[in-house]
Amino acid sequence: MIVRILGEGPYEVPDEEDRALGELDGQLEAAIEAGDQTRLDEVLGALLERVRAQGRALPADDLRPSDLVLPHEGSTVAELRALLAEGATPSGLATEP
């Protein structure tokens, strides 16, 4: 699957990582709902690190469609809530059409 980290670029991540990413996704959703910035930072950091560690960085100009788009490191609860208002999934992860 192709995972794009906003402000960083795309990664090709093995499909087997879907479950682990989904678990972190649920934790991210809970942190956003609770308005817990400290927990958001921890979980988002773990999610991004998992993508970087398990994935292979692709050139920034790789135009393949992304399966997931993740917020940038350092995103705030307010920023992710704004993404939700724009139609991102509840966890702050957005799936491109």
Side-chain angles (χ1 to χ4, degrees), residues 25-72:
D25 177 43
Q27 294 175 35
L28 186 65
E29 179 181 346
I32 294 166
E33 288 177 7
D36 186 341
Q37 185 66 51
T38 300
R39 183 70 180 138
L40 175 101
D41 292 341
E42 292 170 2
V43 175
L44 181 56
L47 181 59
L48 298 178
E49 183 56 35
R50 181 118 194 166
V51 169
R52 292 175 186 131
Q54 300 302 316
R56 178 177 62 91
L58 299 172
D61 61 353
D62 188 307
L63 300 178
R64 286 183 278 177
S66 301
D67 297 296
L68 294 173
V69 178
L70 301 176
H72 62 85

